[in-house]
Amino acid sequence: MSDPRHLNDAQIHQIYRRSYWDAQKCWQYLPPLNHVCFDTSVNFGRFYFNEKLPNDPREAAKKALERRMAYRHQRVKQQPDQRVFLEGWLNRDRALLNWVKTYDATR
């Protein structure tokens, strides 16, 4: 791969689509859950929604984000040296959760 600083927007878009959106099959979910799937893929790599999620895409997205936050706390409990990253991780999760709560499917 060439130096990422020299990639154009189309190349970056292709990498994100292939490596995260398509790899996790985020297209199979309705918004806003598909956005949470994508962000989780970018942030965590390969993952699976192991537990059943609600049928409503907004409620499912909220639940998935709640689980992400719980996982982060558990990770820090198991690996205290990761605490330095916790607030940044949670800020990312909270920002996405706020977006999910205000998501308007009619737009």
Side-chain angles (χ1 to χ4, degrees):
M1 179 199 258
S2 61
D3 186 334
R5 294 175 292 181
H6 299 120
L7 297 175
N8 63 40
D9 286 349
Q11 292 167 312
I12 293 168
H13 180 81
Q14 180 183 14
I15 290 168
Y16 274 102
R17 175 172 287 285
R18 183 180 59 244
S19 299
Y20 302 104
W21 181 265
D22 291 342
Q24 279 302 130
K25 300 179 182 165
C26 296
W27 43 262
Q28 70 183 323
Y29 302 110
L30 293 173
L33 183 56
N34 60 359
H35 296 278
V36 172
C37 174
F38 175 72
D39 187 72
T40 303
S41 179
V42 169
N43 200 232
F44 286 78
R46 300 284 297 169
F47 75 94
Y48 300 96
F49 291 132
N50 290 328
E51 297 177 29
K52 180 135 174 65
L53 292 172
N55 289 332
D56 176 83
R58 183 191 313 261
E59 293 307 312
K62 289 180 195 176
K63 187 62 137 180
L65 286 164
E66 288 170 8
R67 290 179 188 160
R68 269 175 50 164
M69 289 186 266
Y71 167 80
R72 294 186 195 284
H73 284 285
Q74 185 62 34
R75 180 176 176 178
V76 167
K77 192 180 275 187
Q78 292 172 342
Q79 298 175 309
D81 63 321
Q82 299 291 299
R83 180 167 297 285
V84 67
F85 303 111
L86 183 60
E87 203 54 41
W89 290 335
L90 294 175
N91 285 341
R92 179 187 186 118
D93 296 338
R94 287 184 203 118
L96 187 53
L97 181 59
N98 286 335
W99 179 82
V100 165
K101 288 178 178 179
T102 61
Y103 177 78
D104 181 359
T106 62
R107 284 192 267 168

